[in-house]
Amino acid sequence: MWINLLVLALLLAIYWIRQRFAYWKKRGVPFVSASFPHGNLAGVGKTRHISQILQSCYQQLKSSGRSFGGIYFFINPVVLLIDAEFIKTVLVKDFSYFHDRNFYHNDRDDPLSRHLVAMEGSKWKNLRAKLTPTFTSGKMKMMFSTVTAVAEEFDRCMANELQGGSVVEMKDLLARFTTDVIGSVAFGLECNSLKDPEVKFRVMGRKVFQASPYQAHKAFLSAQFPQIARALHVKLTQPDVEEFFMGVVKDTIEFRRSNNVQRNDFMTLLMKIMKEQVEHGEAETDSKDQLTMDDIAAQAFVFFMAGFETSSTAMSFCLYELALNQELQDKARENIKEVMKKHNTISYEALYEMKYIEMCINESLRKYPPATTITRRVEQDYRVPGTDQILQKGTMVAVPVYALHHDPEHFLNPERFDPERFSAEQCEKRHPFAFLPFGGGPRICIGLRFGMMLARIGLVYLLKHFRFTLASDKMSVPLQISPASPVLTIDGGLWLEVKRL
């Protein structure tokens, strides 16, 4: 009898899985064939990065002429957006149907996952509105001197590195630079990772992004089956990372309160929001949306993690391409010299006159977007404009940013590094939602101004004082991408021959 029940259960499971993989076919939607158990994600985190998988799916589905197609993440159907105009509709026009990301968070067991990137509903909307003033151009100008002070230290650090030889591993150096900047801006602390690469801030930052294939799979599965993951108390933040950042935030807040410390930084704004809640009685009347100490820690954590890794990655890829293309590197350096003749110093105004530097960074973000995929979740049944297709509530939607950025329809000869793509004339000709390194719509990256400012300052200081060529015996062309990393990053480091000018 037990054998019969087991066989019956097995047959029912097989039938159910087959029905899941027939989801898109039944609806008449073009789809990429998938197999159990990974769906279209076979090899993700081990042999292939998610960006490469979605680019392949995008290319297969684009020939259908439809604005979207169907793929599978494990056994879950996923909407893959193809058309730039429909992407704009999802991210902006019909945002009310797609306002939440499909990110796993576990408020109970993993408090650092309760950050703005993963937050949902009214809590996200309220906190986003409160945090937005931190990232205005006026606030960027106030933070400018903090960033340039670290950049000066970075310049000295580079000089010291060259005493040990002309070949330098730049990827880690750039991450140490951005770690020190964001540690200062977010926490008001001197991390000193440029002086000591094993300082705790750098060690913890490195640990978050050195994901193993197991951790990559765990993150993917948790995002696909969040209710099951929460029931099993799954945490994505490692215990020592959580303990460190929780401790740093609590210690910083206690010190500032005790000593009445006021700074123009992220932590001060979070403390101000928390104080206003208490003064206005929100802590008692609206417990669901109030900002707690854990929330402050989570926001500081994600600002630190997202900021240091994406900015350093963008600079790494940009330096790699400029090292390969000496003419472009010379042009970028000439742009710095021309502006410096006018201003005599690297001021905030001077930085934003260096248009070619910005074009180089944008082209780097196009060819190597740190966040290769944008995800949304359908919040209520949605009829696709101009069709009779209904996207069901709860379905995940994916925007394949990497694939869009490498589509010849939007960027001719996409594998070529060409900063001129981002001249004002070229940008006007292109669909604005074909270039999405920071996302788009109301959930566009809140720190994009800061990230761009940081990358600009870092590259200006480097190109002003140093020339870079590829250390050909240590680097592969084309680059090898780390398959398990949550952001697009160079596998094995960025080894460059550096000469002081």
Side-chain angles (χ1 to χ4, degrees):
M1 180 181 174
W2 287 108
I3 293 175
N4 291 338
L5 287 172
L6 190 62
V7 170
L8 178 62
L10 184 61
L11 290 172
L12 286 171
I14 292 170
Y15 174 76
W16 180 73
I17 289 167
R18 284 182 173 173
Q19 290 302 300
R20 293 289 286 180
F21 284 127
Y23 183 91
W24 292 120
K25 186 177 182 180
K26 285 180 179 178
R27 285 160 176 77
V29 173
F31 66 96
V32 180
S33 297
S35 59
F36 183 79
H38 292 97
N40 295 113
L41 294 179
V44 70
K46 292 182 179 178
T47 58
R48 295 196 294 171
H49 192 269
I50 183 70
S51 62
Q52 297 164 326
I53 292 171
L54 293 189
Q55 183 184 29
S56 174
C57 293
Y58 174 91
Q59 290 168 343
Q60 291 178 63
L61 292 168
K62 187 163 184 182
S63 59
S64 70
R66 304 279 283 274
S67 60
F68 72 96
I71 58 173
Y72 296 90
F73 283 7
F74 301 99
I75 58 172
N76 289 335
V78 173
V79 182
L80 191 71
L81 303 190
I82 300 165
D83 176 67
E85 189 59 32
F86 186 41
I87 291 170
K88 180 181 177 181
T89 299
V90 167
L91 297 182
V92 182
K93 183 182 175 184
D94 291 334
F95 176 75
S96 60
Y97 287 87
F98 306 94
H99 54 74
D100 290 339
R101 293 189 174 103
N102 204 70
F103 280 13
Y104 175 71
H105 59 95
N106 183 344
D107 296 3
R108 178 190 57 196
D109 303 301
D110 194 357
L112 288 184
S113 71
R114 197 162 66 201
H115 50 68
L116 192 67
V117 175
M119 212 173 264
E120 300 173 349
S122 63
K123 187 156 189 175
W124 164 78
K125 186 178 179 181
N126 293 337
L127 185 59
R128 171 87 186 203
K130 290 173 179 175
L131 293 182
T132 297
T134 316
F135 298 98
T136 60
S137 55
K139 284 289 197 300
M140 294 304 101
K141 199 169 183 179
M142 291 167 69
M143 295 177 186
F144 184 81
S145 61
T146 301
V147 182
T148 53
V150 180
E152 295 286 352
E153 179 61 35
F154 187 27
D155 186 53
R156 290 188 287 272
C157 180
M158 282 293 297
N160 290 335
E161 286 288 327
L162 291 179
Q163 290 179 7
S166 61
V167 176
V168 179
E169 201 289 281
M170 290 299 301
K171 181 169 171 276
D172 184 63
L173 264 181
L174 287 164
R176 285 156 59 190
F177 164 59
T178 55
T179 294
D180 284 0
V181 168
I182 297 176
S184 179
V185 170
F187 298 92
L189 299 174
E190 290 187 16
C191 297
N192 290 322
S193 70
L194 282 169
K195 293 179 180 176
D196 178 8
E198 295 306 312
V199 74
K200 202 74 178 283
F201 256 98
R202 178 67 193 120
V203 170
M204 291 300 164
R206 196 161 50 221
K207 195 165 187 176
V208 172
F209 286 97
Q210 285 180 339
S212 66
Y214 164 74
Q215 288 167 325
H217 264 77
K218 184 179 174 182
F220 271 114
L221 283 165
S222 298
Q224 293 307 301
F225 308 101
Q227 289 84 7
I228 296 172
R230 290 185 191 111
L232 295 173
H233 302 275
V234 171
K235 292 180 61 166
L236 299 183
T237 310
Q238 296 172 70
D240 55 343
V241 173
E242 179 185 315
E243 182 182 357
F244 173 72
F245 279 98
M246 284 289 192
V248 166
V249 169
K250 287 175 181 175
D251 290 347
T252 301
I253 289 175
E254 286 174 11
F255 178 80
R256 291 194 182 190
R257 281 176 175 168
S258 301
N259 296 277
N260 195 28
V261 175
Q262 296 295 322
R263 286 173 55 101
N264 292 313
D265 62 11
F266 190 58
M267 188 64 69
T268 295
L269 183 83
L270 291 170
M271 290 173 65
K272 184 181 176 185
I273 293 169
M274 200 174 181
K275 184 180 178 183
E276 286 173 353
Q277 283 177 170
V278 175
E279 290 174 350
H280 297 159
E282 290 180 35
E284 290 76 23
T285 60
D286 192 10
S287 59
K288 184 181 177 183
D289 290 341
Q290 70 169 313
L291 195 67
T292 66
M293 183 70 82
D294 284 353
D295 287 326
I296 287 183
Q299 308 329 308
F301 172 72
V302 77
F303 179 44
F304 180 80
M305 289 299 128
F308 98 78
E309 184 67 15
T310 55
S311 297
S312 65
T313 296
M315 285 188 282
S316 293
F317 284 122
C318 193
L319 276 183
Y320 168 79
E321 290 290 349
L322 293 178
L324 275 179
N325 300 277
Q326 290 295 312
E327 288 182 12
L328 300 182
Q329 188 179 150
D330 287 338
K331 191 171 181 179
R333 192 173 289 111
E334 195 58 38
N335 181 220
I336 297 168
K337 288 179 181 177
E338 285 175 8
V339 175
M340 291 291 286
K341 283 178 185 176
K342 177 181 174 183
H343 290 270
N344 296 319
T345 184
I346 301 175
S347 64
Y348 183 82
E349 290 74 21
L351 192 73
Y352 283 86
E353 286 183 29
M354 297 175 187
K355 296 300 181 186
Y356 194 74
I357 297 296
E358 181 182 4
M359 289 159 63
C360 289
I361 295 169
N362 279 330
E363 175 64 347
S364 174
L365 290 169
R366 178 202 66 82
K367 194 173 177 184
Y368 310 100
T372 63
T373 312
I374 299 168
T375 61
R376 294 290 186 270
R377 188 175 62 233
V378 184
E379 299 304 321
Q380 49 186 309
D381 287 358
Y382 174 80
R383 182 182 294 277
V384 178
T387 76
D388 58 357
Q389 289 288 345
I390 302 293
L391 304 184
Q392 291 184 310
K393 179 181 178 180
T395 308
M396 178 179 167
V397 176
V399 180
V401 174
Y402 183 89
L404 276 172
H405 289 188
H406 288 256
D407 186 339
E409 180 187 331
H410 303 302
F411 300 96
L412 193 64
N413 194 3
E415 297 310 313
R416 185 163 69 96
F417 184 83
D418 180 12
E420 296 298 333
R421 299 182 201 274
F422 291 92
S423 66
E425 297 77 21
Q426 290 298 315
C427 288
E428 283 178 14
K429 296 177 185 177
R430 190 168 51 244
H431 196 292
F433 279 71
F435 179 61
L436 296 168
F438 298 101
R443 287 202 85 138
I444 194 169
C445 173
I446 195 171
L448 74 89
R449 278 195 185 98
F450 181 80
M452 285 297 288
M453 182 178 77
L454 178 51
R456 276 188 179 106
I457 292 172
L459 284 173
V460 166
Y461 269 82
L462 287 172
L463 293 172
K464 183 173 180 284
H465 298 130
F466 303 95
R467 176 172 292 280
F468 300 91
T469 52
L470 209 63
S472 54
D473 59 327
K474 287 179 174 283
M475 291 297 299
S476 61
V477 180
L479 281 175
Q480 296 299 309
I481 299 300
S482 176
S485 175
V487 299
L488 206 66
T489 188
I490 303 168
D491 196 17
L494 174 62
W495 295 89
L496 299 180
E497 186 93 28
V498 184
K499 180 183 177 182
R500 189 166 188 102
L501 299 174

